[in-house]
Every structure is written in C-alpha cells, then in structure tokens.
Amino acid sequence: MTTAPTALPLPARPGLVLADLLPATDRGRAVARDVALVVGLAALTALAAQVRVPVPGLPVPVTGQTFAVLLGAAALGPARGALAQGLYLAAGVVGLPVFTGGASGWEAVAGASGGYLVGFVLASFVVGRLARRGADRRVLTTVAAYAAGTAAVYAVGVPWLALTTGMAPAAALWAGAGVFLAGDALKALLAGALLPAAWRLAR
C-alpha cells in the first residue's frame, strides 16, 4: 500500500535573490530587467544620499545611503548590486549631482567621504553574496549580513578618512564609524524585519 505524497510548500531555491523572482521569459527580457534594476538602485542611492543629517564637529554626515545600498544589494545580488554602486559612483564623477548634498565630481570622491562611496561597491558584493546563500531569509542572518556589509564600507571609508584629513587612526575610527554604530544597528534591525518578510510574501 502506497501513500500519496503530501503537498508541502517548498522554500525558494537556494542561490536566488529577490530580484530573480521577477519574471523574464527570455534572455532579452532578463537583460532589460537587470539593466532596469541596476539603474533603479543607482537612482535610489542618489535619492537616499540627500537624506542628510550633519554631525557637529565631524566631517562625515549621517545619510540614508547605507540602508539603500545594503538593502538593494541583498535584493539584487552581488553583480547587480555592485554594478549599481559603480554606476552611481561614475554618475557622480562625471558631474551629476548625486552625492550627498548634491555634490559631484572627482573632488567629492577624493574628499573625506570618498572612501565610503568606494566602499559601497565592495559592501554590495559582500551582502549580495551572502543573500545568494540565503542569509536574507531569516532575521538573525539578515542582521549579520547587514553588519558584514557595514563593516566593508568602514574598511574602506575609515582609512580613506584618516588619509584625507590627517586624523590619527583612533580618531578616524571614532569619527568615521564609532559615532554611527547606534544608527547602523537600527538599520540592521529594520533590514532584518523587511527582507525575511519579503521572502515570505514571495513564496
């Protein structure tokens, strides 16, 4: 006597990110979808950069960029996420007013905040890779992935800040990372709520 198999909801296949769930019936449409996603995330990063809270006495303001960058990277994956930040960086260098406060040009990249902009590319790859391994499907692993991405941004941004301003390493670490950790923790918790919820809705 055999028993009919019980239909159970299957988890999303490993290796996928949220953007892969968007329909694309052929290669041409998949390319068009990916281009739209990359451009869209670059534009979202530019908008988030204008959410700016200056910190008195510090050269780097609090912005909404990091949240947009890392959340977008988890949704798009490593390649598209990193390409979006590369496009954002290139758009600013050629003169579009996409950086914080409407800044643009190579001078903005070469300044105190430039390392964070470059760090967005690395962080997007890190978070995107973790998302492809399923890290964005549970709260704790999403928070850990967000923390890893934040650390990647600081790994580039803090030394860059020290070099461009002449700060001592300890002072640069506090001014360029330490004062932002409470806000980073709140953003990580928010990401931990949003991304797993998005996966539950997508199933």
Side-chain angles (χ1 to χ4, degrees), residues 151-172:
V153 173
Y154 289 146
V156 182
V158 171
W160 194 299
L161 175 65
L163 287 172
T164 56
T165 62
M167 283 184 178

PDB file of all heavy atoms in Angstrom, residues 151-172:
ATOM      1  N   ALA A 151      30.566  46.739   7.817  1.00  0.00           N
ATOM      2  CA  ALA A 151      31.997  46.620   8.111  1.00  0.00           C
ATOM      3  C   ALA A 151      32.830  46.826   6.844  1.00  0.00           C
ATOM      4  O   ALA A 151      33.912  47.439   6.894  1.00  0.00           O
ATOM      5  CB  ALA A 151      32.294  45.259   8.724  1.00  0.00           C
ATOM      6  N   ALA A 152      32.335  46.338   5.708  1.00  0.00           N
ATOM      7  CA  ALA A 152      33.055  46.519   4.443  1.00  0.00           C
ATOM      8  C   ALA A 152      33.118  47.998   4.049  1.00  0.00           C
ATOM      9  O   ALA A 152      34.140  48.477   3.541  1.00  0.00           O
ATOM     10  CB  ALA A 152      32.382  45.701   3.338  1.00  0.00           C
ATOM     11  N   VAL A 153      32.019  48.712   4.270  1.00  0.00           N
ATOM     12  CA  VAL A 153      32.019  50.157   3.987  1.00  0.00           C
ATOM     13  C   VAL A 153      33.058  50.857   4.857  1.00  0.00           C
ATOM     14  O   VAL A 153      33.860  51.667   4.372  1.00  0.00           O
ATOM     15  CB  VAL A 153      30.617  50.761   4.232  1.00  0.00           C
ATOM     16  CG1 VAL A 153      30.667  52.285   4.102  1.00  0.00           C
ATOM     17  CG2 VAL A 153      29.603  50.192   3.255  1.00  0.00           C
ATOM     18  N   TYR A 154      33.069  50.546   6.139  1.00  0.00           N
ATOM     19  CA  TYR A 154      34.013  51.181   7.052  1.00  0.00           C
ATOM     20  C   TYR A 154      35.455  50.767   6.773  1.00  0.00           C
ATOM     21  O   TYR A 154      36.384  51.553   7.016  1.00  0.00           O
ATOM     22  CB  TYR A 154      33.646  50.862   8.495  1.00  0.00           C
ATOM     23  CG  TYR A 154      32.397  51.542   8.989  1.00  0.00           C
ATOM     24  CD1 TYR A 154      31.546  50.920   9.895  1.00  0.00           C
ATOM     25  CD2 TYR A 154      32.055  52.818   8.545  1.00  0.00           C
ATOM     26  CE1 TYR A 154      30.398  51.546  10.353  1.00  0.00           C
ATOM     27  CE2 TYR A 154      30.905  53.442   8.986  1.00  0.00           C
ATOM     28  CZ  TYR A 154      30.079  52.807   9.893  1.00  0.00           C
ATOM     29  OH  TYR A 154      28.946  53.445  10.336  1.00  0.00           O
ATOM     30  N   ALA A 155      35.651  49.552   6.286  1.00  0.00           N
ATOM     31  CA  ALA A 155      37.010  49.082   5.999  1.00  0.00           C
ATOM     32  C   ALA A 155      37.687  49.940   4.932  1.00  0.00           C
ATOM     33  O   ALA A 155      38.916  50.080   4.915  1.00  0.00           O
ATOM     34  CB  ALA A 155      36.976  47.623   5.547  1.00  0.00           C
ATOM     35  N   VAL A 156      36.909  50.508   4.038  1.00  0.00           N
ATOM     36  CA  VAL A 156      37.442  51.427   3.028  1.00  0.00           C
ATOM     37  C   VAL A 156      37.328  52.875   3.507  1.00  0.00           C
ATOM     38  O   VAL A 156      38.257  53.671   3.376  1.00  0.00           O
ATOM     39  CB  VAL A 156      36.712  51.259   1.685  1.00  0.00           C
ATOM     40  CG1 VAL A 156      37.307  52.189   0.623  1.00  0.00           C
ATOM     41  CG2 VAL A 156      36.784  49.807   1.204  1.00  0.00           C
ATOM     42  N   GLY A 157      36.170  53.216   4.075  1.00  0.00           N
ATOM     43  CA  GLY A 157      35.889  54.606   4.410  1.00  0.00           C
ATOM     44  C   GLY A 157      36.742  55.180   5.515  1.00  0.00           C
ATOM     45  O   GLY A 157      37.183  56.346   5.430  1.00  0.00           O
ATOM     46  N   VAL A 158      37.010  54.406   6.566  1.00  0.00           N
ATOM     47  CA  VAL A 158      37.761  54.952   7.712  1.00  0.00           C
ATOM     48  C   VAL A 158      39.226  55.230   7.369  1.00  0.00           C
ATOM     49  O   VAL A 158      39.728  56.331   7.653  1.00  0.00           O
ATOM     50  CB  VAL A 158      37.629  54.025   8.939  1.00  0.00           C
ATOM     51  CG1 VAL A 158      38.575  54.467  10.052  1.00  0.00           C
ATOM     52  CG2 VAL A 158      36.186  54.032   9.445  1.00  0.00           C
ATOM     53  N   PRO A 159      39.961  54.300   6.742  1.00  0.00           N
ATOM     54  CA  PRO A 159      41.338  54.638   6.347  1.00  0.00           C
ATOM     55  C   PRO A 159      41.403  55.810   5.369  1.00  0.00           C
ATOM     56  O   PRO A 159      42.309  56.643   5.446  1.00  0.00           O
ATOM     57  CB  PRO A 159      41.838  53.341   5.695  1.00  0.00           C
ATOM     58  CG  PRO A 159      40.996  52.264   6.279  1.00  0.00           C
ATOM     59  CD  PRO A 159      39.652  52.888   6.473  1.00  0.00           C
ATOM     60  N   TRP A 160      40.429  55.869   4.457  1.00  0.00           N
ATOM     61  CA  TRP A 160      40.366  56.981   3.492  1.00  0.00           C
ATOM     62  C   TRP A 160      40.181  58.296   4.237  1.00  0.00           C
ATOM     63  O   TRP A 160      40.828  59.301   3.929  1.00  0.00           O
ATOM     64  CB  TRP A 160      39.207  56.733   2.536  1.00  0.00           C
ATOM     65  CG  TRP A 160      39.162  57.553   1.288  1.00  0.00           C
ATOM     66  CD1 TRP A 160      39.067  58.909   1.177  1.00  0.00           C
ATOM     67  CD2 TRP A 160      39.181  57.052  -0.053  1.00  0.00           C
ATOM     68  NE1 TRP A 160      39.006  59.296  -0.134  1.00  0.00           N
ATOM     69  CE2 TRP A 160      39.077  58.171  -0.917  1.00  0.00           C
ATOM     70  CE3 TRP A 160      39.246  55.781  -0.598  1.00  0.00           C
ATOM     71  CZ2 TRP A 160      39.046  58.035  -2.298  1.00  0.00           C
ATOM     72  CZ3 TRP A 160      39.221  55.647  -1.970  1.00  0.00           C
ATOM     73  CH2 TRP A 160      39.125  56.759  -2.812  1.00  0.00           C
ATOM     74  N   LEU A 161      39.294  58.281   5.229  1.00  0.00           N
ATOM     75  CA  LEU A 161      39.054  59.479   6.045  1.00  0.00           C
ATOM     76  C   LEU A 161      40.338  59.909   6.751  1.00  0.00           C
ATOM     77  O   LEU A 161      40.672  61.101   6.777  1.00  0.00           O
ATOM     78  CB  LEU A 161      37.957  59.182   7.071  1.00  0.00           C
ATOM     79  CG  LEU A 161      37.653  60.271   8.095  1.00  0.00           C
ATOM     80  CD1 LEU A 161      37.081  61.511   7.414  1.00  0.00           C
ATOM     81  CD2 LEU A 161      36.671  59.740   9.147  1.00  0.00           C
ATOM     82  N   ALA A 162      41.054  58.957   7.306  1.00  0.00           N
ATOM     83  CA  ALA A 162      42.293  59.276   8.015  1.00  0.00           C
ATOM     84  C   ALA A 162      43.332  59.880   7.073  1.00  0.00           C
ATOM     85  O   ALA A 162      44.010  60.864   7.415  1.00  0.00           O
ATOM     86  CB  ALA A 162      42.852  58.016   8.679  1.00  0.00           C
ATOM     87  N   LEU A 163      43.444  59.327   5.873  1.00  0.00           N
ATOM     88  CA  LEU A 163      44.440  59.809   4.913  1.00  0.00           C
ATOM     89  C   LEU A 163      44.110  61.208   4.401  1.00  0.00           C
ATOM     90  O   LEU A 163      45.000  62.042   4.238  1.00  0.00           O
ATOM     91  CB  LEU A 163      44.548  58.839   3.735  1.00  0.00           C
ATOM     92  CG  LEU A 163      45.255  57.507   4.020  1.00  0.00           C
ATOM     93  CD1 LEU A 163      45.121  56.564   2.828  1.00  0.00           C
ATOM     94  CD2 LEU A 163      46.733  57.740   4.342  1.00  0.00           C
ATOM     95  N   THR A 164      42.828  61.454   4.131  1.00  0.00           N
ATOM     96  CA  THR A 164      42.453  62.743   3.530  1.00  0.00           C
ATOM     97  C   THR A 164      42.392  63.879   4.543  1.00  0.00           C
ATOM     98  O   THR A 164      42.509  65.049   4.162  1.00  0.00           O
ATOM     99  CB  THR A 164      41.085  62.638   2.823  1.00  0.00           C
ATOM    100  OG1 THR A 164      40.105  62.163   3.746  1.00  0.00           O
ATOM    101  CG2 THR A 164      41.168  61.697   1.627  1.00  0.00           C
ATOM    102  N   THR A 165      42.183  63.565   5.802  1.00  0.00           N
ATOM    103  CA  THR A 165      42.061  64.613   6.809  1.00  0.00           C
ATOM    104  C   THR A 165      43.280  64.719   7.724  1.00  0.00           C
ATOM    105  O   THR A 165      43.405  65.701   8.459  1.00  0.00           O
ATOM    106  CB  THR A 165      40.820  64.364   7.698  1.00  0.00           C
ATOM    107  OG1 THR A 165      40.987  63.119   8.395  1.00  0.00           O
ATOM    108  CG2 THR A 165      39.554  64.327   6.859  1.00  0.00           C
ATOM    109  N   GLY A 166      44.142  63.715   7.702  1.00  0.00           N
ATOM    110  CA  GLY A 166      45.288  63.713   8.598  1.00  0.00           C
ATOM    111  C   GLY A 166      44.953  63.298  10.012  1.00  0.00           C
ATOM    112  O   GLY A 166      45.763  63.463  10.929  1.00  0.00           O
ATOM    113  N   MET A 167      43.756  62.737  10.213  1.00  0.00           N
ATOM    114  CA  MET A 167      43.374  62.278  11.543  1.00  0.00           C
ATOM    115  C   MET A 167      44.238  61.091  11.973  1.00  0.00           C
ATOM    116  O   MET A 167      44.672  60.286  11.149  1.00  0.00           O
ATOM    117  CB  MET A 167      41.910  61.809  11.551  1.00  0.00           C
ATOM    118  CG  MET A 167      40.876  62.889  11.568  1.00  0.00           C
ATOM    119  SD  MET A 167      39.220  62.124  11.702  1.00  0.00           S
ATOM    120  CE  MET A 167      38.205  63.594  11.778  1.00  0.00           C
ATOM    121  N   ALA A 168      44.433  60.978  13.280  1.00  0.00           N
ATOM    122  CA  ALA A 168      45.043  59.771  13.822  1.00  0.00           C
ATOM    123  C   ALA A 168      44.081  58.601  13.614  1.00  0.00           C
ATOM    124  O   ALA A 168      42.854  58.800  13.564  1.00  0.00           O
ATOM    125  CB  ALA A 168      45.336  59.955  15.308  1.00  0.00           C
ATOM    126  N   PRO A 169      44.595  57.373  13.464  1.00  0.00           N
ATOM    127  CA  PRO A 169      43.716  56.223  13.208  1.00  0.00           C
ATOM    128  C   PRO A 169      42.586  56.072  14.220  1.00  0.00           C
ATOM    129  O   PRO A 169      41.437  55.815  13.836  1.00  0.00           O
ATOM    130  CB  PRO A 169      44.679  55.035  13.257  1.00  0.00           C
ATOM    131  CG  PRO A 169      45.993  55.606  12.832  1.00  0.00           C
ATOM    132  CD  PRO A 169      46.025  56.992  13.393  1.00  0.00           C
ATOM    133  N   ALA A 170      42.877  56.232  15.500  1.00  0.00           N
ATOM    134  CA  ALA A 170      41.836  56.076  16.515  1.00  0.00           C
ATOM    135  C   ALA A 170      40.759  57.151  16.374  1.00  0.00           C
ATOM    136  O   ALA A 170      39.562  56.874  16.504  1.00  0.00           O
ATOM    137  CB  ALA A 170      42.457  56.127  17.911  1.00  0.00           C
ATOM    138  N   ALA A 171      41.177  58.379  16.088  1.00  0.00           N
ATOM    139  CA  ALA A 171      40.214  59.464  15.915  1.00  0.00           C
ATOM    140  C   ALA A 171      39.360  59.233  14.675  1.00  0.00           C
ATOM    141  O   ALA A 171      38.148  59.475  14.683  1.00  0.00           O
ATOM    142  CB  ALA A 171      40.952  60.795  15.803  1.00  0.00           C
ATOM    143  N   ALA A 172      39.978  58.762  13.597  1.00  0.00           N
ATOM    144  CA  ALA A 172      39.229  58.480  12.370  1.00  0.00           C
ATOM    145  C   ALA A 172      38.245  57.339  12.587  1.00  0.00           C
ATOM    146  O   ALA A 172      37.125  57.364  12.059  1.00  0.00           O
ATOM    147  CB  ALA A 172      40.197  58.141  11.241  1.00  0.00           C
TER     148      ALA A 172
END
